[in-house]
Amino acid sequence: MSEAPKKPKRVINRQKTKTPMREQDPKNRIYNFEEVPLGYTLEEAVNEARRCAQCKDKPCTHGCPVGIDIPAFMLLLGQGDLEGALRKIKEKNFLPAICGRVCPQEDQCELVCTLNKPDKGRESASVGRVERFIGDWARENGISATPEVAPPTGKKVAIIGSGPAGLTAASDLVQLGHEVTVFEALHKPGGVLFYGIPEFRLPKKILIDEIEGLKDMGVKFVMNYPVGKAESLDSIRSRFDAVFIGTGAGLPWFLNIPGENLNGVYSANEFLTRVNLMGGYQFPEKADTPVKKIKRIAVIGAGNTAMDSARTARRLRPEKVYLVYRRSRLEMPARKEEIHHAEEEGIEFFLLHSPIEFLDDGNGAVRAIRLQEMRLGEPDESGRRRPVPVEGSIKELEIDTAVISIGQGPNPILVEGCPELARDERRGTILTDPETMETSLPGVFAGGDIVTGGATVILAMGAGRKAATAMHRYLMTGSAKATATEAPARV
Ligand code: FAD
Ligand code: SF4
């Protein structure tokens, strides 16, 4: 009788802290747009995967917005089965190289990791870095591990917006045998992953490869096509059997203070788009659109977008980059890693200051910003302590450029042209059935930032997947709702 194959032995690494990741030296990296963290080697990734305690209750999986079986992929990698680990991740997440880089793991899976005991000097398993390693390994070795495309169903689906929500929905729906067309307003697909998050945090090559993979599976992309202007939603509906709206939250908010219209005052969106999407930093050699020569720049805000703007500005070689925020360091919403990188790169934080006016240089351009000093009062409705002005304490900061990065609202072009699409009047977001992501228009689904307001890449991907599951059901049965006996959606 032949013996059953032996299970590979589990190797445990009892190292208390995360396996460190090498990074570009701050002295050098402020002169280039190349990626800052350099990634794990195979040995480092396996070493880190073996730190996972294989908890039976899997708190990390519950902490992950799409429920990746983290202990399972850690175990497979720890045993040297890279392809198995990739398959396990791809059951839930089709963009591991991207999520491994940009997900706020410290607030999700890593926060609730059993190993995470800061008071005992113990750190969580480095889930994000290991996920990134597996995603990169797969890309570099041409291993996709995506399921086969099902036979054609004859159904046609339109996806509006090519950010992470739209791309995930497109990937799932094409695999289920539907004919998928993505309509995108800009000239390059990827949404914020392309025009917002800079090259030094997310190399564009990774995104381009993923999109090429979708094209190989049969997804069609129509660029420079703002639905609502180029064609109405009604017309798209008449041409397709189902529609997914993933148009994101790209409408910048402003401070509404005097001088905001002066030359040299940008929204973060415009500034990042000029540099990331149009390649303004490579003007005139490789790009047609220049970005302004900057001497002193102030970025207003302290979220991820503000850190990206400040760190992008740093690489344009100005004399000074200031980051102005009305609360203290403790309340900064950006990821800790981004704040740390910004400080290492010499960005000067102007905390507890709020802009009250931009001053004119006499020629219609900004020459300075007036700042009101603040102190922290009682907590407001967000739970954070409310900034309160310190009477009479006003400063002037000499600048020639400012970037406003205080948040973004839903992209309005499509929704405003379609009043019958129910939305939240105050926030402008589209209202959907939480179970199916179907909107008030039958056969029209929505997900990502256009539904939640500005959130995260992984939440947008989770929404795209949830909608795709319901859309498939709608296309095949006429109803998006699951029956009582049906297996739950894949997310
Ligand atoms: P988006 O990514 O916004 O994509 C929407 C797409 O729809 C865009 O390409 C847009 O051009 C297109 N579109 C809009 N209107 C139309 C129309 N009418 N017709 C056709 N196309 C249209 N999240 C993280 O998890 N980690 C991070 O580190 C992080 N950093 C960020 C940095 C910046 C600078 C910004 C702005 C956001 C960041 N976020 C981060 C948030 C994250 O990127 C978003 O939550 C996510 O991209 C939302 O995905 P989405 O698919 O809903 O929309
Ligand atoms: Fe591993 Fe941490 Fe998840 Fe436990 S919580 S299974 S140690 S990653």
Side-chain angles (χ1 to χ4, degrees), residues 102-104 160-166 183-186 190-193 195-197 201 225-228 246-249 272 304-305 308 335 408 411 413-414 447-450 454-458 460:
V102 303
C103 264
I160 308 174
S162 66
F183 296 96
E184 167 56 51
L186 297 173
V192 171
L193 301 178
Y195 78 77
I197 302 182
R201 247 181 4 102
Y225 206 84
V227 176
T247 47
L272 289 171
N304 283 327
T305 310
D308 282 346
R335 294 184 66 187
Q408 311 197 130
N411 280 327
I413 298 176
L414 182 138
D449 282 5
I450 187 67
T456 62
V457 171
I458 192 72

Side-chain angles (χ1 to χ4, degrees), residues 255-312:
L255 293 157
N256 294 321
I257 59 172
E260 213 166 5
N261 291 332
L262 290 170
N263 283 336
V265 181
Y266 295 89
S267 70
N269 230 1
E270 183 187 347
F271 181 70
L272 289 171
T273 301
R274 274 178 177 265
V275 182
N276 294 330
L277 188 75
M278 323 285 266
Y281 63 96
Q282 296 167 315
F283 177 85
E285 295 83 16
K286 292 190 184 162
D288 299 331
T289 314
V291 65
K292 185 175 182 275
K293 280 253 172 280
I294 302 169
K295 270 195 168 170
R296 289 166 168 255
I297 175 168
V299 174
I300 322 296
N304 283 327
T305 310
M307 292 303 153
D308 282 346
S309 302
R311 297 181 62 204
T312 295

